[in-house]
Amino acid sequence: MKSFKSHLGVIFPLIVLLFAIEFTLVVGKIVRGYEYSMGNDYNIIVVSERDLNETILREKIDTFKEALPLDATKVLDRLKDDVSPKNLAALKSSLPKFYSIKLNAFPSTAYMAKLGKILLKIDGVKKVETFSKTHDKIYKILVIFKGVSQSFAVLIALMGIALISKQMRIWLYEHRRRIEVMTDLGAPYWLKSAMLYKLAIIDSFVATAITCAFYLALPHVSALKDAFVGVGFELPHFDFANESALLFGASIAVSIVAVSLVMMQSREK
């Protein structure tokens, strides 16, 4: 029981740390997915006296996806009963061309302002409507959401590291007699700390396995999946190959640093 509590003292803060890391990754995926969705739905309206050349647009706009011509026929059809056919034809020929420009990424506020100036410099373009007020509100919400999630993850990570260091000191106290004897016998540093490193690696593996299992099961929870679908999001799937390696590497790194710091302090004492 004592051994179990000792391991739990490292496994629990490691799980907290790994949950914070993976939570940040999940939030990043959600925000990127939302940005991609907004990029597809977001329209920039351009009024031009000439046909827009997509080749020129691609050269000038890094995030250009496509330019869709807007048909003014529906608007003119409403005037059929009030305007003569001759005047209607003249009106139609004098109307400028309208385009809806789509991007492959949701732009920042600064990039959007720059984009408007680029479009106005294109020959024939008379007016550009970027709907800046709506865009700025959405973009600021995304920035705030990113910042809050990252700050939250950092705070949890710091708490996890503090708890791990505390448990390492407890381990050191439990094994102090063995370490003292090995020190008197002239044992090298790596041999004295081998037990602590071994325990840290085992607990890192267990913590990583628990975290991975949780995030693998998360997308299959129907209630959570329905909640995300209801607000227009898709719950990101856990990339086991890459993210499990990242989590295990992070847990190993933190554990080894914590053991090394504790052992260095004990050696100085």
Side-chain angles (χ1 to χ4, degrees):
M1 180 60 72
K2 184 177 179 181
S3 176
F4 174 74
K5 288 182 178 179
S6 179
H7 281 283
L8 191 62
V10 174
I11 291 173
F12 177 72
L14 274 177
I15 289 175
V16 171
L17 174 64
L18 298 183
F19 263 68
I21 294 172
E22 186 59 31
F23 176 76
T24 304
L25 294 176
V26 169
V27 169
K29 290 178 185 177
I30 292 173
V31 171
R32 284 194 296 274
Y34 185 70
E35 286 179 343
Y36 179 78
S37 176
M38 286 300 302
N40 287 334
D41 296 338
Y42 192 73
N43 294 300
I44 301 170
I45 305 301
V46 175
V47 181
S48 176
E49 293 179 345
R50 302 179 181 180
D51 292 333
L52 288 181
N53 190 319
E54 288 201 4
T55 303
I56 295 175
L57 291 173
R58 288 185 195 281
E59 291 175 355
K60 293 182 176 293
I61 304 172
D62 297 335
T63 56
F64 175 78
K65 183 180 180 181
E66 59 182 345
L68 303 174
L70 300 177
D71 191 3
T73 304
K74 292 182 180 180
V75 177
L76 294 174
D77 286 344
R78 297 177 185 176
L79 303 175
K80 281 183 178 179
D81 298 332
D82 303 320
V83 181
S84 66
K86 184 179 179 180
N87 289 336
L88 194 63
L91 179 62
K92 187 175 182 179
S93 62
S94 63
L95 279 178
K97 301 180 185 299
F98 296 87
Y99 290 89
S100 171
I101 293 181
K102 291 184 175 291
L103 308 176
N104 56 26
F106 193 63
S108 65
T109 302
Y111 184 79
M112 182 58 74
K114 178 183 175 182
L115 188 61
K117 294 178 181 178
I118 291 172
L119 288 170
L120 285 172
K121 289 181 180 179
I122 296 175
D123 188 29
V125 174
K126 294 300 180 184
K127 185 173 178 58
V128 177
E129 180 55 68
T130 60
F131 306 99
S132 58
K133 289 185 178 180
T134 303
H135 168 270
D136 290 350
K137 287 180 182 178
I138 296 171
Y139 185 74
K140 286 176 182 177
I141 290 172
L142 289 176
V143 171
I144 291 171
F145 190 46
K146 281 183 180 178
V148 170
S149 66
Q150 290 170 356
S151 301
F152 177 69
V154 169
L155 290 174
I156 292 179
L158 291 174
M159 184 182 71
I161 292 171
L163 290 173
I164 291 169
S165 298
K166 183 178 179 180
Q167 183 58 40
M168 291 300 175
R169 291 189 180 91
I170 295 173
W171 277 2
L172 181 63
Y173 179 76
E174 292 175 350
H175 295 278
R176 72 188 186 285
R177 290 189 181 277
R178 183 182 62 83
I179 294 173
E180 288 172 359
V181 171
M182 295 178 73
T183 301
D184 293 338
L185 295 174
Y189 169 81
W190 68 267
L191 187 59
K192 291 186 293 183
S193 56
M195 178 60 71
L196 293 183
Y197 282 120
K198 180 182 177 182
L199 293 172
I201 291 171
I202 293 172
D203 290 351
S204 295
F205 178 79
V206 174
T208 303
I210 293 172
T211 306
C212 289
F214 177 83
Y215 279 101
L216 278 171
L218 196 63
H220 301 288
V221 178
S222 57
L224 187 63
K225 188 189 293 186
D226 293 341
F228 269 78
V229 171
V231 294
F233 288 113
E234 183 178 349
L235 190 61
H237 287 278
F238 183 77
D239 184 356
F240 182 79
N242 295 322
E243 293 180 32
S244 61
L246 174 65
L247 294 177
F248 184 63
S251 61
I252 284 289
V254 170
S255 299
I256 289 177
V257 168
V259 171
S260 300
L261 291 175
V262 171
M263 287 301 295
M264 287 173 63
Q265 289 175 2
S266 68
R267 185 165 58 180
E268 290 173 359
K269 292 179 182 179

